[in-house]
């Protein structure tokens, strides 16, 4: 039951984030590392990827599609980690200290948890809840 609830919550989170990437890309563009080519197109495509992953993760009728959504969202979270690190470095270097370590440290810690959660909700892994017997 908890896995199902978290699956739908994660899908809603990613669907909303994808929507925000598409309709209001400015905050995402501002934290995109300079080495990313065509950042506007990348932000648009990441929004589309988040929405597609959310749809795949949330549907109950195809285990393979749900697993693909989980893997895709986990890979997405891994790939955007450099933007989050870039945001932290830019923010902490600002004159006012930006959001501060109280914001950025939990965000950095959350990233691997979000990666795991996408895999767990996608039924790609049962770790660490696998029953031994």
């Amino acid at each position: 039951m908890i896995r199902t609830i978290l699956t739908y919550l994660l899908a809603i989170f990613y669907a909303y984030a994808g929507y925000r990437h598409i309709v209001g890309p400015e905050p995402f563009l501002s934290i995109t590392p300079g080495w990313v080519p065509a950042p506007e197109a990348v932000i648009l495509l990441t929004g589309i990827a988040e929405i597609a992953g959310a749809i795949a993760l949330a549907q109950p009728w195809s285990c393979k599609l749900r697993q693909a959504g989980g893997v895709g969202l986990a890979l997405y979270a891994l790939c955007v980690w450099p933007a989050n690190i870039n945001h932290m470095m830019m923010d902490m270097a600002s004159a006012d200290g930006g959001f501060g370590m109280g914001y950025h440290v939990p965000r950095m810690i959350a990233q691997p948890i979000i990666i795991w959660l996408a895999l767990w909700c996608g039924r790609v892994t049962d770790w660490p809840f696998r029953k031994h017997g």
Side-chain angles (χ1 to χ4, degrees), residues 1-69:
M1 181 68 159
I2 190 75
R3 190 183 230 177
T4 301
I5 292 168
L6 288 174
T7 298
Y8 288 114
L9 286 175
L10 188 63
I12 290 167
F13 166 80
Y14 269 112
Y16 180 72
Y19 166 78
R20 295 301 314 154
H21 277 78
I22 293 167
V23 301
E26 296 80 16
F28 306 104
L29 288 168
S30 71
I31 66 169
T32 301
W35 51 263
V36 173
E40 293 85 3
V42 169
I43 298 300
L44 174 64
L45 292 172
T46 59
I48 293 168
E50 285 175 305
I51 292 169
I55 291 168
L57 188 65
Q59 58 69 46
W61 38 265
S62 172
C63 183
K64 294 288 185 197
L65 189 55
R66 186 174 49 240
Q67 287 178 333

Side-chain angles (χ1 to χ4, degrees), residues 28 31-33 35 79-88 107:
F28 306 104
I31 66 169
T32 301
W35 51 263
C79 290
V80 299
W81 210 344
N84 295 341
I85 293 167
N86 188 55
H87 180 216
M88 180 177 74
R107 186 175 183 197

